[in-house]
Amino acid sequence: MRQAENVIRSQDLWGKSSRLRMEGRGSTPIETGDIDYRFVSHLVKAPATETGPEKLHGTPIVAVMSGTLVEPGYRLDMEALLTEKNQAKIEKFIEKNKSKIDKLKNKLDKKLGPGVDHLFRKLF
C-alpha cells in the first residue's frame, strides 16, 4: 500500500457552546478521502464566574468520525467512554488505598523475590 503524500491534518479542532466543550484531531488523505478523526467532548457543569473557572463533568464523550468525505460516518467510542469514566475512579481508589497497596507490594516482594514491585508499578 502506497503512503499518501497529500494529507489534511488537524491537531487542534475545537468547538464551544453554552453546554459543551469539544476538542478533536485527525487526518484525511486527499487521494482516498478516508476520514479518521476523534473528538472528545465535555458537558459544562457550571459556567465560569469572576472568581472561578468553568467546571466540566468528569466523564468525556468520545466520538469517532470515519468513512469518506462523500459518505462520512459517526459513532460514539464506547470503549474510550468506559475507560475514561472509570479512570478517575481507579485513580481515586489507588490514592485512597496507597498504604495498603504499598504494604502488599512489600509483602509479595519479600515472599516471591525482587521484581514483583516492578510488576505492580505496571498495573498501578
Side-chain angles (χ1 to χ4, degrees), residues 19-117:
R19 301 294 298 158
L20 185 74
R21 302 295 179 264
M22 182 211 57
E23 294 179 358
R25 62 178 39 183
S27 63
T28 301
I30 294 173
E31 288 87 7
T32 63
D34 293 333
I35 301 170
D36 183 18
Y37 283 86
R38 184 173 192 261
F39 301 95
V40 179
S41 303
H42 287 87
L43 296 175
V44 176
K45 191 173 189 177
T49 63
E50 287 185 26
T51 58
E54 71 182 0
K55 295 179 183 174
L56 302 175
H57 282 281
T59 304
I61 302 165
V62 181
V64 176
M65 187 169 122
S66 58
T68 64
L69 291 170
V70 177
E71 292 184 36
Y74 308 89
R75 68 176 173 80
L76 287 177
D77 187 344
M78 296 306 291
E79 181 180 338
L81 179 67
L82 294 173
T83 302
E84 294 291 333
K85 182 177 182 178
N86 291 319
Q87 184 68 30
K89 289 179 184 178
I90 291 167
E91 289 173 4
K92 185 176 178 181
F93 175 82
I94 290 171
E95 193 61 37
K96 183 178 177 181
N97 294 293
K98 188 158 180 55
S99 64
K100 290 178 183 177
I101 292 170
D102 287 341
K103 285 180 187 177
L104 179 61
K105 285 193 294 187
N106 290 334
K107 198 175 198 179
L108 286 172
D109 210 25
K110 287 178 184 175
K111 287 194 177 204
L112 299 176
V116 174
D117 183 50

